[in-house]
Amino acid sequence: IDDVGHSFIFEEVLGLWTDLQLVVVSVYCWCTTRGIPGVGPAMAKFGTAAAFHFALIITLQLEFNMVLPDWPAGQAFAMIFSTLNFALYTMFALALDGWLCEQEDAGKPPPVAGWAALTHERHEDPEKPPQMQASEGGSAIVPGRLPGLPPWSSCTAVTFILGIFCLSASLVVLPIVLGVYCETAPSVA
């Protein structure tokens, strides 16, 4: 890599861009669905897991920028945040799967507009939730979006994506411009 500094800035902006989108979307899902039994607690796990993931990324960034010492504080925080991150994402997946199974077992048809089949075939009957035949003769229904979450327009989605990109670029470039992370690493001769 000819110019490590510019490559680092590019990588950090794109990395923070996706991480910030994850955090904001998870908090949005959590706040929007918190009153819905089953979905609300699952989204709380999603939001908390995304927050710990972002805390892990920030911890690693602070270590790299020599603001936080690598050992023992940096690595201790990184281990704690990554463990909580993985545990909460696992609990989120299990809670959401449990809720989906409860809906299927109770015979409650999910909102048709918010659910899609796991197939490439077009579903013709708008009154019946789309289903896919499972290998054991059963069927599966998967959410296209969660109940309680209003659909976004394309304009809203593009504005959100570009806004988060600007925020992530600011978080990377602004400290460099202000000289906050300009501590020089000792040279090895």
Side-chain angles (χ1 to χ4, degrees):
I1 300 175
D2 294 333
D3 191 350
V4 175
H6 288 104
S7 299
F8 171 75
I9 291 170
F10 176 77
E11 183 269 332
E12 283 303 309
V13 168
L14 292 183
L16 279 179
W17 185 29
T18 56
D19 292 330
L20 281 172
Q21 287 182 72
L22 178 68
V23 170
V24 173
V25 166
S26 69
V27 169
Y28 172 75
C29 290
W30 182 3
C31 291
T32 307
T33 63
R34 69 176 167 236
I36 301 173
V39 178
M43 290 298 118
K45 292 175 180 72
F46 179 38
T48 308
F52 279 116
H53 174 77
F54 192 69
L56 170 64
I57 298 302
I58 294 299
T59 299
L60 295 174
Q61 182 67 39
L62 292 174
E63 282 182 54
F64 182 77
N65 290 325
M66 295 180 261
V67 174
L68 184 66
D70 291 349
W71 186 258
Q75 290 305 305
F77 284 133
M79 287 185 284
I80 290 167
F81 292 149
S82 63
T83 301
L84 292 171
N85 171 28
F86 296 137
L88 286 163
Y89 274 128
T90 301
M91 293 184 329
F92 160 66
L94 292 172
L96 185 62
D97 189 50
W99 179 79
L100 289 170
C101 288
E102 286 174 11
Q103 298 302 303
E104 232 177 312
D105 291 344
K108 297 178 186 174
V112 175
W115 296 74
L118 284 172
T119 180
H120 295 293
E121 299 171 11
R122 185 174 173 193
H123 184 68
E124 300 298 330
D125 186 4
E127 298 300 318
K128 184 178 177 194
Q131 296 185 352
M132 180 189 90
Q133 291 298 336
S135 59
E136 299 169 3
S139 61
I141 304 172
V142 294
R145 70 175 197 281
L146 288 172
L149 290 179
W152 283 10
S153 69
S154 297
C155 183
T156 302
V158 168
T159 303
F160 167 76
I161 291 167
L162 292 177
I164 296 295
F165 179 77
C166 291
L167 178 61
S168 66
S170 297
L171 288 173
V172 172
V173 175
L174 197 59
I176 295 169
V177 170
L178 296 176
V180 175
Y181 300 134
C182 292
E183 186 175 325
T184 306
S187 62
V188 179

